């Protein structure tokens, strides 16, 4: 099977390329940028009128087209910008950098996607959604902060894992099956403050793209989705800034050139400040408490010459909680750090390359005093990666991408120890481990006869466990305790002692039925080697990531999807209907009441099985001048079957929500005032509820139904926001706007968790109690830019 | 420590959360046999309680199971201890006053009902065994107990506690599990499940406990208030691994759940066959006492 897949892909590549080898081609290439700030425009299109064909810029704003010598009319366009048309006679290779100017008329409306009209119809990629920060900015804010993750959760196929959470489930996958990249660096935990905020500061984000099905062959390592986020390069024309002052947090972004247009920077920071007022509290016991987060993004780029450009970017964020009482202090902090260094190099007008060195880390630390026995607990996960990507713009019909990557992951799950010399606590360490992930890939974007677009690629991924590790062999405990595993053997290994290799074919096609309609289909295989040990129903920062190993096989997903895409009203209304089926193997779940923290034998808590998911996604997006927004509906179902859970019977996955509906709109009442709103409805999450009880000691112990057999009440919520902008005047430097948002405007009490507490005077009688978050949450933010 | 770091999440959640009592229709299930049985190394009357399961939300009077034949059997010497039903307490079956569990012997519970429950008339427990040799148990000495009175100022309100600080050297040879309970003048005052402190020796195996607080009494509660002259006893019981996990499980499933930390709810694993619930266990307690004096202040 593996040989067959390789032969098919080689045949496709060779067959395409050999046909044109002998024909002389002239290449026109360059960058497309925003004239006002020099930002690269990702996905800007170059259309050759005579050929009715073209290409688009890559993630660095670079394009290249190779054509036969002749005179052509090139149209450079990007939505929200004035198109530029150039008539050029191609006689020899040509570099042409284009700077597009924003269209004043279009700027006043919400800009949805950086693509030309009907590009969504023709492109072979499906199950992909792009969002820009303007769109995200319009969505009503939670606690005054607009958020990328919260915006993504309103899209079809994406389900919220818990109210207010930054975790999301894509097409039935769990939250750890999403690969979240910030300038190519993995972000392991995208949450601040329990997920009420995400780690992404919208002001410094340039481009967000979510792949739910067909994931490009250049990326791997997660089963469900790729969320690719890119930071702004920084204005290389002039010093500028933006920011906001909110009720809970404030933020500031500054950007500008360094010395000249060749170098620019962008720096952004955010901090919550509710804790700054705690010292003023009348209650002495809370004066010394702290609860806040901060984060900083930095990016610098330098253009050495037309062929070489360098980027340095980083993210540093931390949440801090401190509780001090009666001389006893508890401090907890956690955060992500990422660093990316990139070098763009043009080997020729047709061959673009990018070389990246990437570092990312997620860690947390806790310290607590306990009867003179202070203890500390630290956990660390970090990786260093190198990645080399090439784009070969072969001709207008074929764009070939190839490259490879290598990543070294180091897992240090837990080191806990007493901090006093005469304390009673031993040092307790869950041994660290190292895993190597490598991948090579090749893919092609091919256009045939102007109506058939193909994307096909193959990724070969290799995973290796490395180091001096003790590997345990487990078997179930005897008798009724078989839900727990016992260790029956252990072996010591060193060096590279375990290797997994897998092929990950990816394929997608689009067949244009007309200029405004197409059908698309895709197949994608993904493999996941690193996963999160979490069986909670919401995201928490005490994350333990663990690698595949001799005991843990890689998770594998095969997904097929097909869809119909149709535009109306000159492309102002885009609609799509997609169906998908996904089969997952080696799905990981955890034994009942698994002990995931402080466990040297974590692998003994894992249980493996299969899962499947299917669904229908309907999506309609309107991009009018006065009115814009979208409606999304998802019907989905996800089931797992794991022999040692739920007595071997299938059960619905924890994030299974059959019906998920969202309507999001913005109405521009006038030039200065806009009203936006969203309404969300979804089926309640599955739940395991008591069906009986028995008394032990003074407690009633529940007898539960099968896992996830019941449903919690449905969820719905309305948010509204009003944005009032300052007057526009010529030569005005400072632009401000007020954003007034109300989250959960009609005070819906959505169940967050269901408990059965004891009656106050009778521990044997219980009642049902729901906990709900955010009954109604107004916020006001002043945003500005200059 | 785990509990303390949860404060962070709880605090964050509480800032934004509200609770409300709601009506909910829960499905119901068939009745099952439930037992609560403990056999210890103390020479005393040991009790096994047998009853039916109940509706989860309602406070129904426990439906006791009477006229059953209840035996504790020993695997090694085939000895049988027959229990008799207390005529005044239906469903409570008792041993003679001079029975006790022995170290390194395997015991299991054998029940024969008068009438079937859920299709079964005979029920058995899994084997429970105190695997520590008697000599090791005897050489494990609780050296001393210190009572520390601690006053905490919480938001202007003064809470006082009596911390039971234990000095002993934990045996290092084995993986051990403990339960700590406290008595005031020989009456058990940590009498609720939440007040039973359970621990495995993972973090202090073979070490001197050096005055570590094993229990604490809430001095604001009249039953737990310790006056000068009161005799306080700390009971450190070595329990079996299976019973340790059973206690963890019932504490988890009967406690308050916050989605951030809770995995999916699941039935507690019991050591009875034929879908019966509850647990039969054997354990070995050790006790040490101290009298509150002025020094404790």
């Amino acid at each position: 099977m593996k040989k067959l897949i390789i032969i098919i892909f080689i045949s496709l590549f060779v067959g395409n390329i050999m046909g044109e080898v002998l024909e002389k081609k002239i290449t026109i290439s360059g960058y497309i940028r925003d004239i006002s700030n020099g930002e690269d425009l990702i996905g800007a299109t170059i259309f050759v009128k005579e050929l009715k064909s073209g290409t688009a810029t890559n993630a660095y704003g670079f394009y290249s087209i190779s054509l036969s010598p002749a005179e052509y009319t090139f149209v450079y366009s990007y939505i929200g910008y004035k198109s530029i048309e150039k008539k050029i006679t191609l006689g020899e290779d040509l570099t042409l950098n284009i700077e597009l100017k924003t269209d004043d008329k279009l700027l006043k409306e919400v800009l949805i996607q950086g693509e030309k009209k009907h590009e969504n119809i023709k492109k072979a990629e499906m199950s992909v959604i792009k969002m820009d920060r303007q769109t995200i900015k319009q969505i009503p804010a939670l606690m005054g902060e607009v958020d990328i993750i919260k915006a993504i959760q309103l899209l079809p196929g994406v389900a919220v894992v818990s109210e207010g959470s930054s975790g999301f489930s894509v097409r039935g996958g769990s939250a750890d099956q999403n690969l979240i990249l910030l300038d190519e660096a993995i972000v392991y935990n995208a949450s601040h403050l329990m997920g009420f905020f995400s780690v992404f500061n919208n002001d410094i984000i340039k481009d967000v793209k979510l792949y739910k099905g067909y994931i490009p062959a250049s990326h791997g390592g997660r089963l469900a989705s790729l969320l690719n986020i890119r930071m702004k390069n920084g204005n290389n024309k002039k010093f500028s800034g933006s920011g906001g002052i909110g009720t809970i947090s404030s933020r500031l972004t500054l950007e500008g050139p360094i010395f000249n247009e060749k170098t620019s920077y962008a720096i952004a920071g955010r901090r919550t400040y509710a804790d700054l007022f705690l010292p003023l509290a009348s209650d002495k016991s809370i004066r010394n408490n702290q609860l806040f987060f901060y984060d900083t993004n930095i990016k610098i780029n330098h253009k050495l010459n037309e062929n070489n450009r360098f980027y340095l970017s980083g993210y540093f964020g931390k949440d801090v909680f401190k509780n001090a009482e009666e001389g006893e202090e508890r401090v907890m902090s956690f955060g992500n750090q990422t660093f990316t260094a990139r070098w763009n190099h043009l080997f020729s007008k047709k061959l673009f390359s990018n070389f990246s060195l990437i570092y990312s880390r997620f860690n947390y630390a806790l310290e607590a005093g306990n009867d003179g026995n202070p203890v500390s607990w630290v956990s660390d996960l970090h990786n260093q990666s190198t990645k080399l990507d090439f784009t070969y713009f072969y001709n207008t019909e074929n764009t070939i991408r190839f490259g490879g990557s290598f990543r070294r992951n180091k897992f240090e799950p837990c080191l806990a120890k007493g901090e006093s010399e005469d304390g009673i606590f031993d040092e307790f360490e869950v041994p660290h481990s190292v895993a190597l992930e490598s991948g090579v890939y090749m893919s092609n974007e091919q256009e045939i006869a102007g109506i058939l677009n193909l994307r096909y690629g193959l990724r070969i991924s290799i995973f290796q466990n490395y180091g001096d590790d003790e590997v345990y062999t487990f078997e179930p405990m005897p008798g009724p305790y078989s839900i727990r595993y016992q260790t029956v053997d252990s072996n010591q290994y060193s060096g590279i002692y375990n290797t997994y290799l897998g092929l990950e074919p990816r394929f997608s096609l689009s067949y244009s039925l007309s200029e405004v309609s197409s059908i698309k289909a895709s197949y994608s295989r993904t493999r996941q080697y690193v996963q999160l040990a979490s069986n909670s129903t919401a995201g928490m920062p005490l994350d333990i990531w663990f690698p595949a190993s001799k005991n843990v096989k890689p998770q594998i997903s095969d997904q097929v999807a097909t869809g119909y895409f149709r535009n109306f009203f000159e492309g102002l209304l885009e609609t799509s209907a997609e169906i998908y089926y996904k089969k997952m193997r080696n799905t990981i779940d955890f034994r009942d009441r698994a002990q995931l923290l402080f466990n040297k034998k974590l692998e003994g808590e894992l249980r493996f099985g299969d899962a499947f998911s299917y669904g229908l996604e309907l999506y309609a997006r309107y991009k009018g001048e006065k009115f814009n927004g979208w409606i999304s509906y998802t019907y989905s179902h996800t089931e797992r079957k794991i022999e040692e859970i739920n007595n071997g019977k299938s059960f619905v996955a924890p994030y299974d929500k059959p019906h998920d509906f969202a309507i999001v709109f913005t109405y521009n009442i006038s030039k200065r005032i806009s009203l936006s709103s969203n309404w969300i409805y979804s089926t309640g999450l599955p739940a395991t509820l008591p069906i009986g009880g028995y008394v032990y000691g003074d407690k009633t112990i529940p007898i539960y139904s099968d896992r996830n057999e019941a449903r919690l009440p449905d969820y719905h919520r309305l948010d509204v926001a009003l944005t009032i902008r300052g007057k526009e005047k010529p030569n005005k430097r400072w632009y401000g706007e007020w954003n007034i948002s109300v989250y959960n405007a009609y005070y819906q009490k959505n169940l967050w968790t269901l408990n059965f507490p004891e009656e106050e005077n009778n521990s044997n009688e219980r009642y049902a109690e729901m906990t709900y978050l955010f009954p109604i949450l107004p916020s006001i933010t002043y945003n500005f830019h200059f | 420590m785990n509990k303390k770091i949860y404060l962070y999440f709880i605090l964050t959640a509480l800032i934004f959360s509200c609770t409300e009592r709601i009506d909910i229709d829960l499905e119901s299930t068939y009745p099952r046999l439930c037992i609560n049985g403990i056999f210890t190394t103390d020479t005393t009357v040991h009790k096994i309680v047998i009853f039916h399961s109940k509706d989860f939300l309602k406070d129904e009077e426990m439906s006791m199971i009477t006229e059953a034949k209840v035996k504790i059997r020993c695997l090694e010497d085939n000895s049988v201890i027959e229990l008799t039903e207390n005529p005044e307490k239906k469903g409570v079956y008792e041993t003679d006053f001079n029975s006790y569990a022995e170290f390194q012997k395997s015991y299991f519970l054998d029940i024969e009902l008068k009438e079937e429950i859920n299709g079964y008339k005979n029920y058995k427990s899994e084997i429970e065994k105190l695997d520590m040799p008697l000599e090791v148990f005897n050489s494990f000495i609780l050296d001393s107990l210190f009572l520390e009175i601690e006053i905490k100022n919480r938001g202007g309100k003064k809470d006082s506690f009596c911390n039971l600080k234990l000095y002993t050297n934990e045996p290092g040879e084995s993986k051990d599990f403990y339960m700590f309970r406290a008595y005031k003048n020989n009456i058990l005052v940590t009498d609720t499940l939440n007040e039973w402190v359970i621990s495995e020796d993972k973090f202090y195996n073979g070490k001197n406990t050096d005055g570590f607080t094993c229990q604490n009494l809430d001095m604001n509660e009249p039953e737990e208030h310790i006056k000068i002259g009161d005799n306080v006893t700390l009971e450190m019981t070595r329990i079996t691994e299976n019973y340790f996990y059973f206690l963890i499980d019932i504490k988890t499933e009967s406690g308050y759940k916050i989605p951030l930390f809770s995995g999916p709810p699941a039935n507690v694993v019991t050591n009875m066959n034929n879908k019966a619930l509850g647990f039969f266990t054997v354990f070995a307690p050790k006790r040490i006492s101290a009298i509150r004096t002025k020094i404790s202040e």
Side-chain angles (χ1 to χ4, degrees):
Chain A
M1 181 65 184
K2 283 182 183 175
K3 281 182 184 169
L4 182 67
I5 291 170
I6 292 171
I7 289 166
I8 289 171
F9 277 91
I10 290 174
S11 307
L12 280 166
F13 280 111
V14 173
N16 263 316
I17 290 162
M18 288 307 289
E20 296 199 23
V21 161
L22 299 174
E23 193 182 348
K24 186 175 187 277
K25 296 282 185 183
I26 307 294
T27 301
I28 177 168
S29 62
Y31 290 87
I32 302 182
R33 301 190 178 108
D34 183 320
I35 197 167
S36 66
N37 56 27
E39 284 287 341
D40 303 325
L41 297 179
I42 302 170
T45 55
I46 304 93
F47 184 68
V48 187
K49 271 190 169 177
E50 289 75 8
L51 302 176
K52 293 187 176 169
S53 180
T55 188
T57 55
N58 67 9
Y60 301 90
F62 178 77
Y63 76 96
S64 172
I65 308 181
S66 295
L67 302 165
S68 303
E71 186 180 69
Y72 298 100
T73 311
F74 294 91
V75 183
Y76 294 86
S77 51
Y78 192 70
I79 284 222
Y81 289 74
K82 281 181 182 165
S83 296
I84 291 179
E85 192 169 307
K86 282 191 181 290
K87 196 162 251 192
I88 297 166
T89 304
L90 287 183
E92 56 186 25
D93 287 352
L94 175 69
T95 299
L96 184 62
N97 295 330
I98 297 291
E99 292 194 316
L100 296 180
K101 191 179 176 187
T102 49
D103 187 321
D104 290 341
K105 186 183 163 209
L106 287 167
L107 190 63
K108 291 190 184 74
E109 61 178 281
V110 179
L111 310 174
I112 308 298
Q113 290 175 304
E115 293 171 352
K116 70 170 184 171
K117 196 164 66 176
H118 305 313
E119 189 67 14
N120 63 315
I121 298 294
K122 206 173 171 187
K123 270 189 174 177
E125 66 182 18
M126 63 181 298
S127 313
V128 176
I129 296 178
K130 287 175 73 170
M131 286 198 123
D132 63 23
R133 62 192 195 91
Q134 289 292 342
T135 308
I136 296 161
K137 209 173 141 188
Q138 297 273 337
I139 294 169
L142 169 62
M143 291 188 268
E145 276 281 325
V146 289
D147 197 298
I148 291 165
I149 303 278
K150 300 286 185 297
I152 280 166
Q153 290 170 344
L154 298 168
L155 298 170
V158 184
V160 189
V161 298
S162 173
E163 169 137 42
S165 166
S166 291
F168 56 97
S169 162
V170 175
R171 291 185 169 175
S174 51
D176 71 330
Q177 292 175 351
N178 304 315
L179 178 62
I180 302 176
L181 299 180
L182 179 63
D183 273 358
E184 297 193 70
I186 295 176
V187 176
Y188 287 98
N189 188 316
S191 299
H192 278 311
L193 280 182
M194 267 180 36
F196 299 144
F197 294 83
S198 86
V199 298
F200 304 111
N201 180 346
N202 195 42
D203 285 350
I204 199 163
I205 300 305
K206 177 161 72 177
D207 183 73
V208 179
K209 207 167 180 183
L210 176 71
Y211 299 81
K212 300 179 291 181
Y214 172 89
I215 294 173
S218 53
H219 292 86
R222 296 289 187 278
L223 287 198
S225 77
L226 163 66
L227 178 61
N228 204 354
I229 299 170
R230 288 180 180 270
M231 282 158 55
K232 284 167 30 177
N233 292 333
N235 194 328
N236 70 353
K237 309 276 182 178
K238 61 175 184 181
F239 174 71
S240 64
S242 61
I245 300 163
T247 42
I248 287 183
S249 67
S250 286
R251 60 192 196 282
L252 178 66
T253 301
L254 300 173
E255 51 190 309
I258 302 175
F259 305 125
N260 55 39
E261 284 190 14
K262 286 189 166 184
T263 311
S264 67
Y265 71 93
I267 180 166
R270 278 194 301 177
R271 192 193 190 280
T272 57
Y273 38 69
D275 63 303
L276 298 179
F277 301 102
L278 290 178
L280 306 175
S282 57
D283 186 343
K284 282 184 185 175
S285 66
I286 62 167
R287 281 183 194 170
N288 295 322
N289 287 359
Q290 288 184 326
L291 179 62
F292 68 92
F293 77 77
Y294 65 86
D295 56 29
T296 309
N297 298 69
I298 299 173
K299 188 160 184 179
I300 296 171
N301 81 94
H302 175 69
K303 185 174 136 189
L304 188 66
N305 52 41
E306 279 304 318
N307 292 338
N308 294 285
R309 190 167 178 176
F310 299 93
Y311 302 83
L312 292 175
S313 60
Y315 166 87
F316 314 91
K318 193 163 263 190
D319 280 52
V320 177
F321 165 66
K322 186 174 126 186
N323 169 247
E325 191 180 2
E326 291 281 307
E328 200 174 321
E329 191 170 275
R330 292 172 280 272
V331 184
M332 177 184 183
S333 62
F334 63 91
N336 295 276
Q337 297 96 51
T338 71
F339 175 76
T340 311
R342 282 176 289 182
W343 170 33
N344 285 181
H345 177 69
L346 278 176
F347 284 95
S348 72
K349 306 235 175 257
K350 295 169 81 165
L351 184 60
F352 177 93
S353 73
N354 177 66
F355 175 66
S356 303
L357 292 171
I358 306 158
Y359 172 78
S360 65
R361 179 184 186 205
F362 174 73
N363 68 325
Y364 55 84
L366 298 99
E367 287 173 28
N370 189 337
D371 288 347
N373 280 302
V375 288
S376 68
W377 169 17
V378 293
S379 176
D380 213 331
L381 162 64
H382 44 105
N383 71 52
Q384 300 90 28
S385 314
T386 175
K387 197 163 179 279
L388 185 56
D389 299 293
F390 293 93
T391 311
Y392 185 61
F393 296 87
Y394 183 65
N395 56 25
T396 51
E397 284 84 34
N398 290 280
T399 303
I400 299 163
R401 296 173 206 276
F402 56 97
S405 61
F406 173 79
R407 181 183 306 130
R408 179 183 182 273
N409 301 292
K410 187 170 185 187
F411 306 84
E412 298 174 60
C414 172
L415 173 62
K417 58 183 180 183
E419 291 294 334
S420 69
E421 284 183 8
D422 52 353
I424 70 154
F425 292 111
D426 279 339
E427 183 173 292
F428 180 85
E429 183 175 17
V430 178
H432 72 257
S433 59
V434 173
L436 312 175
E437 276 184 280
S438 319
V440 289
Y441 71 94
M442 193 167 195
S443 68
N444 187 24
E445 289 169 34
Q446 186 182 358
E447 186 179 315
I448 299 170
I451 55 167
L452 184 63
N453 280 272
L454 301 174
R455 283 188 178 202
Y456 46 89
L458 179 66
R459 179 179 181 81
I460 302 172
S461 58
I462 303 162
F463 176 88
Q464 294 166 311
N465 296 100
Y466 171 81
D468 296 318
D469 293 341
E470 188 172 13
V471 177
Y472 300 101
T473 305
F474 301 99
E475 68 176 32
M477 297 271 286
Y481 316 112
S482 60
I483 70 157
R484 299 202 313 270
Y485 279 2
Q486 59 185 345
T487 310
V488 290
D489 194 13
S490 71
N491 290 293
Q492 194 69 38
Y493 293 96
S494 61
I496 293 173
Y497 63 87
N498 183 49
T499 299
Y500 290 111
L501 184 146
L503 301 183
E504 300 178 46
R506 317 276 170 86
F507 178 79
S508 179
L509 72 82
S510 164
Y511 179 75
S512 299
L513 301 169
S514 67
E515 196 186 326
V516 294
S517 68
S518 64
I519 51 171
K520 298 184 183 186
S522 70
Y523 163 75
S524 183
R525 168 172 286 188
T526 45
R527 293 166 70 93
Q528 181 160 347
Y529 301 102
V530 174
Q531 44 269 314
L532 183 63
S534 170
N535 61 0
S536 71
T537 44
M540 67 184 285
L542 302 182
D543 285 351
I544 305 283
W545 289 81
F546 63 97
S549 68
K550 281 185 173 289
N551 286 320
V552 183
K553 288 182 183 165
Q555 299 183 76
I556 300 170
S557 164
D558 289 288
Q559 184 180 172
V560 287
T562 185
Y564 176 70
F565 295 73
R566 176 81 160 90
N567 286 358
F568 298 92
F569 311 127
E570 294 290 308
L572 283 177
L573 176 63
E574 296 176 358
T575 64
S576 66
E578 292 187 35
I579 54 171
Y580 69 89
Y581 178 81
K582 186 156 71 169
K583 185 163 174 51
M584 292 159 274
R585 285 179 281 152
N586 307 327
T587 296
I588 293 174
D589 211 319
F590 305 91
R591 76 163 176 91
D592 293 340
R593 292 174 294 274
Q595 191 190 342
L596 304 179
L597 303 174
F598 295 105
N599 192 347
K600 292 182 181 181
K601 296 173 183 174
L602 176 70
E603 290 180 352
E605 306 290 290
L606 312 179
R607 303 294 179 265
F608 307 97
D610 295 327
F612 67 86
S613 180
Y614 57 81
L616 162 72
E617 293 166 5
L618 304 176
Y619 184 54
R621 187 167 204 165
Y622 187 74
K623 301 187 286 185
E625 191 176 338
K626 284 287 269 188
F627 179 87
N628 56 70
W630 70 86
I631 296 173
S632 76
Y633 168 75
T634 307
Y635 170 78
S636 65
H637 180 69
T638 307
E639 264 186 40
R640 291 180 185 172
K641 189 172 190 317
I642 292 163
E643 210 50 53
E644 291 151 299
I645 294 177
N646 201 37
N647 298 316
K649 291 186 272 186
S650 295
F651 58 95
V652 294
Y655 310 127
D656 180 77
K657 292 181 181 177
H659 302 284
D660 200 348
F661 178 83
I663 178 164
V664 181
F665 76 85
T666 298
Y667 178 64
N668 295 306
I669 297 165
S670 69
K671 283 183 180 178
R672 292 180 52 208
I673 300 172
S674 62
L675 174 73
S676 51
S677 179
N678 52 255
W679 185 72
I680 300 152
Y681 166 85
S682 68
T683 315
L685 286 167
T688 310
L689 296 180
I691 52 174
Y694 62 100
V695 176
Y696 193 88
D698 61 319
K699 298 282 181 199
T700 298
I701 314 301
I703 301 169
Y704 288 110
S705 66
D706 283 345
R707 185 181 279 200
N708 293 342
E709 205 175 50
R711 286 261 167 212
L712 297 176
D714 292 350
Y715 179 98
H716 52 99
R717 192 188 82 226
L718 175 75
D719 310 327
V720 290
L722 188 70
T723 305
I724 304 164
R725 298 176 198 90
K727 281 183 184 171
E728 286 183 24
K729 290 177 187 168
N731 303 321
K732 190 178 175 182
R733 280 283 289 162
W734 182 276
Y735 297 91
E737 65 177 37
W738 289 96
N739 181 284
I740 303 152
S741 289
V742 182
Y743 183 90
N744 195 8
Y746 59 74
Y747 201 150
Q748 172 62 25
K749 296 170 183 174
N750 285 306
L751 190 147
W752 183 57
T753 178
L754 179 63
N755 268 287
F756 298 95
E758 296 159 357
E759 291 286 359
E760 201 168 326
N761 301 318
N762 184 355
S763 63
N764 281 326
E765 188 164 344
R766 290 170 177 262
Y767 62 95
E769 181 188 84
M770 68 179 279
T771 303
Y772 57 95
L773 302 175
F774 318 127
I776 183 165
L777 204 59
S779 60
I780 183 162
T781 308
Y782 177 72
N783 295 314
F784 57 87
H785 67 272
F786 57 87
Chain B
M1 181 163 165
N2 251 353
K3 283 181 185 169
K4 293 191 174 178
I5 55 119
Y6 288 166
L7 275 172
Y8 160 77
F9 310 108
I10 293 165
L11 182 67
T12 313
L14 287 180
I15 291 169
F16 306 111
S17 69
C18 309
T19 55
E20 186 173 296
R21 187 183 282 243
I22 56 168
D23 289 327
I24 191 164
D25 286 326
L26 297 177
E27 301 288 322
S28 60
T29 185
Y30 52 86
R32 297 166 209 210
L33 177 129
C34 308
I35 72 117
N36 182 351
I38 293 170
F39 190 39
T40 77
T41 50
D42 290 341
T43 306
T44 185
V45 173
H46 301 275
K47 294 173 184 174
I48 307 290
V49 187
I50 310 178
F51 50 97
H52 288 101
S53 60
K54 64 188 238 351
D55 186 285
F56 179 66
L57 293 179
K58 287 180 195 156
D59 177 24
E60 297 163 338
E61 193 156 320
M62 275 197 355
S63 165
M64 308 307 288
I65 296 173
T66 62
E67 299 181 60
K69 289 178 185 169
V70 182
K71 293 167 188 165
I72 296 172
R73 293 182 184 273
C74 176
L75 205 63
E76 281 77 12
D77 58 14
N78 290 323
S79 62
V80 178
I81 300 168
E82 293 197 15
L83 289 85
T84 52
E85 188 171 9
N86 185 326
E88 290 172 9
K89 291 180 182 171
K90 292 293 178 192
V92 178
Y93 298 83
E94 298 174 342
T95 64
D96 292 338
F97 70 92
N98 60 354
S99 53
Y100 59 91
E102 293 180 60
F103 285 88
Q104 293 192 297
K105 284 197 174 175
S106 312
Y107 297 95
F108 66 97
L109 190 64
D110 185 358
I111 299 171
E112 184 184 339
L113 301 183
K114 192 180 172 193
E115 290 172 6
E116 285 184 353
I117 295 176
N118 194 26
Y120 299 102
K121 203 171 178 180
N122 291 290
Y123 290 85
K124 277 194 174 69
S125 76
E126 290 293 313
I127 286 164
E128 282 281 279
K129 184 180 181 180
L130 291 166
D131 50 7
M132 179 184 274
L134 177 63
E135 310 81 71
V136 176
F137 183 75
N138 285 340
S139 64
F140 170 32
I141 308 289
L142 305 185
D143 296 323
S144 62
L145 176 68
F146 177 67
L147 305 180
E148 178 197 60
I149 306 301
E150 185 186 14
I151 297 169
K152 286 187 176 176
N153 193 341
R154 287 180 173 161
K157 186 189 162 204
K158 284 191 175 176
D159 289 334
S160 57
F161 298 90
C162 177
N163 295 328
L164 279 62
K165 291 172 157 300
L166 177 68
Y167 292 83
T168 186
N169 198 51
E170 203 276 334
E173 297 81 19
S174 53
K175 183 179 171 185
D176 298 311
F177 301 87
Y178 298 104
M179 174 170 69
F180 297 93
R181 298 193 290 189
Y183 295 76
K184 173 183 148 185
N185 301 326
N186 298 323
I187 295 169
L188 180 68
V189 287
T190 53
D191 53 354
T192 63
L193 207 56
N194 285 344
E195 291 173 318
W196 299 3
V197 173
I198 53 173
S199 162
E200 62 175 305
D201 64 358
K202 184 156 56 174
F203 299 105
Y204 53 87
N205 190 25
K207 292 192 85 176
N208 198 312
T209 57
D210 201 22
F212 186 66
T213 299
C214 298
Q215 261 291 0
N216 71 346
L217 302 176
D218 184 350
M219 299 278 278
N220 294 340
E221 295 289 327
E223 309 85 52
E224 296 183 23
H225 184 81
I226 308 298
K227 303 190 296 292
I228 290 172
D230 278 343
N231 179 24
V232 177
T233 302
L234 176 71
E235 183 182 79
M236 181 178 186
T237 303
R238 189 173 181 278
I239 57 176
T240 62
E241 182 175 358
N242 291 328
Y243 188 56
F244 172 79
Y245 282 109
F246 173 76
L247 290 177
I248 295 257
D249 289 357
I250 58 174
K251 278 172 174 262
T252 306
E253 296 305 339
S254 63
Y256 206 82
K257 286 189 180 270
I258 294 180
L260 285 168
F261 330 118
S262 314
N267 284 317
V268 171
V269 173
T270 78
N271 68 348
M272 297 297 296
N273 69 353
N274 294 338
K275 298 181 181 173
L277 304 166
F279 212 90
F280 168 74
T281 190
V282 290
F283 60 56
K286 269 187 183 292
R287 299 180 184 90
I288 187 167
S289 299
I291 291 173
R292 182 182 168 189
T293 62
K294 284 197 171 179
I295 299 169
S296 308
E297 299 297 331

